[in-house]
Amino acid sequence: MAFERVCTLDDLWQGEMANYTVGETEILLVHTDKGQLVATQAMCPHQEVELVEGELSGCFLTCRAHLWRFNVVEGKGVNPTHPELALYPIKVENDVVYVDVEGVEPKYAHS
Ligand code: FES
């Protein structure tokens, strides 16, 4: 598999996030209020709660379950700092968003 079409920029405005399925992989697409586009794992690394149910503020996403906070642009935990998010390669051509999920596995940090 390579880059697959996910959506258009009109489908996901700045400050929004949404889940999409690429192949058989569920991803979370985030469009920050600064215009950065990020494709990351859909599930929280902690206890696999959907990250899309959390709160997005700038590039910071807070999981609703236990309030772990992530910098989605860097794919790193902010509080706590040890968890990481898998980031998928992403590109935009003619306002269409493409993501490549091949070879990237979700990350987990159960404590
Ligand atoms: S499941 Fe996300 S912080 Fe616990």
Side-chain angles (χ1 to χ4, degrees), residues 8-87:
T8 70
L9 291 178
D10 277 346
D11 295 324
L12 193 70
W13 293 1
Q14 289 187 11
E16 292 184 340
M17 57 182 174
N19 280 355
Y20 290 92
T21 302
V22 178
E24 296 181 355
T25 304
E26 189 181 29
I27 68 162
L28 176 67
L29 197 63
V30 180
H31 198 176
T32 73
D33 55 7
K34 289 199 168 75
Q36 298 153 299
L37 272 170
V38 179
T40 186
Q41 65 192 69
M43 297 295 193
C44 180
H46 184 213
Q47 292 184 2
E48 299 184 59
V49 169
E50 297 267 6
L51 287 170
V52 74
E53 297 172 5
E55 186 179 320
L56 181 65
S57 176
C59 65
F60 298 106
L61 196 168
T62 303
C63 178
R64 69 158 175 82
H66 312 99
L67 307 182
W68 282 18
R69 192 169 161 88
F70 302 91
N71 181 324
V72 290
V73 172
E74 296 180 351
K76 292 189 174 158
V78 175
N79 186 16
T81 55
H82 68 278
E84 295 183 348
L85 296 173
L87 296 179

Side-chain angles (χ1 to χ4, degrees), residues 74-108:
E74 296 180 351
K76 292 189 174 158
V78 175
N79 186 16
T81 55
H82 68 278
E84 295 183 348
L85 296 173
L87 296 179
Y88 302 101
I90 187 168
K91 68 179 181 180
V92 179
E93 289 178 0
N94 299 322
D95 287 350
V96 177
V97 180
Y98 299 86
V99 172
D100 183 359
V101 297
E102 188 174 293
V104 181
E105 297 296 328
K107 298 186 178 184
Y108 299 98

